[in-house]
Amino acid sequence: MRIGLTGGIATGKSTVSRLLAAKGIHLVDADVIAREVMNPGQPLLRQVAERFGAEFLLADGGLDRRRMAEHIFNRPEERQALNEIVHPAIRAEIRRQVQEAEGTDSSNIVVADIPLLYESGLEGLYDEVIVVYVPRDLQLERLKVRDGLTDEQAEGRLNAQLDIEEKKRKADIVIDNSGTLENTQDQVDALWKKWTES
């Protein structure tokens, strides 16, 4: 079974990923892939430097992610330019890893953790889509605390993604992560039981 896992920034998607992985579910993580394709010396990183400038590279040749985030989040045309460079490679690697995992055991549950799943139009590739949800006001507060952002910076990041309420409406499964870790664990346990007993 192929499952897409998504949510909004600071909704706790990584927590849910860890809880699912602890069940033995094969996890394909788009964020890990995105970091790997932007490692020093990678062709995509050279393309990014050519398009945006060497000032977006760190001394070790890696991408200055914080600087790039500041640059693109309130500039939709710049965000689009970055996405056009990196997203095709990320999507191809996600597809490869999912197919590889399915090839080892056709009964496997494979979860692809993709932050921008809906924004990228990839939901049709999955049997079910899980959205990790918290209300927007809590999402905003968690993001500000987690990343040390101002209200304006945090709003810019939230506005760069599809609204969390819209993601919730589109979801096949919603995991509400606005409570305790134990409450989230209970929801993951119930989901695991449903998958393994059906």
Side-chain angles (χ1 to χ4, degrees):
M1 184 164 45
R2 217 179 252 204
I3 307 295
L5 174 68
T6 193
I9 189 169
T11 58
K13 190 173 50 56
S14 297
T15 297
V16 172
S17 287
R18 284 193 300 275
L19 294 174
L20 288 168
K23 300 283 188 190
I25 292 171
H26 189 98
L27 187 68
V28 175
D29 190 329
D31 280 343
V32 170
I33 293 168
R35 283 193 293 276
E36 288 172 352
V37 300
M38 297 297 278
N39 280 337
Q42 292 293 324
L44 282 183
L45 187 55
R46 283 195 297 276
Q47 290 179 43
V48 168
E50 287 167 11
R51 167 58 177 79
F52 292 91
E55 65 268 24
F56 288 97
L57 298 181
L58 297 167
D60 69 357
L63 180 67
D64 187 336
R65 295 175 192 283
R66 189 169 186 91
R67 185 169 188 171
M68 182 61 78
E70 287 297 322
H71 179 72
I72 66 169
F73 273 115
N74 291 311
R75 296 179 179 92
E77 68 290 345
E78 292 291 272
R79 186 169 64 248
Q80 181 63 30
L82 180 64
N83 290 346
E84 286 173 2
I85 294 170
V86 300
H87 280 186
I90 294 169
R91 282 195 292 268
E93 182 59 16
I94 290 168
R95 219 171 5 256
R96 187 194 71 73
Q97 289 188 22
V98 167
Q99 288 170 348
E100 182 180 274
E102 289 175 330
T104 59
D105 179 358
S106 61
S107 66
N108 271 353
I109 298 170
V110 181
V111 174
D113 179 342
I114 307 173
L116 300 177
L117 184 136
Y118 288 120
E119 292 87 340
S120 302
L122 300 177
E123 62 269 27
L125 299 176
Y126 299 93
D127 300 312
E128 293 182 319
V129 174
I130 301 169
V131 168
V132 181
Y133 171 82
V134 299
R136 185 181 168 99
D137 58 340
L138 180 56
Q139 183 186 15
L140 187 66
E141 197 54 42
R142 285 182 178 178
L143 180 58
K144 284 163 44 184
V145 170
R146 186 190 78 184
D147 293 356
L149 302 176
T150 65
D151 286 344
E152 182 182 4
Q153 289 170 323
E155 286 283 359
R157 281 163 174 71
L158 292 192
N159 292 337
Q161 297 183 346
L162 186 65
D163 183 73
I164 192 62
E165 297 298 336
E166 182 62 22
K167 289 185 180 185
K168 182 181 178 185
R169 281 191 290 276
K170 289 174 171 277
D172 298 303
I173 300 161
V174 175
I175 293 183
D176 186 329
N177 193 37
S178 55
T180 64
L181 179 60
E182 291 75 17
N183 181 256
T184 301
Q185 177 75 67
D186 289 345
Q187 293 173 75
V188 170
D189 289 346
L191 189 55
W192 173 250
K193 186 175 181 185
K194 183 189 98 166
W195 285 340
T196 54
E197 291 182 358
S198 59

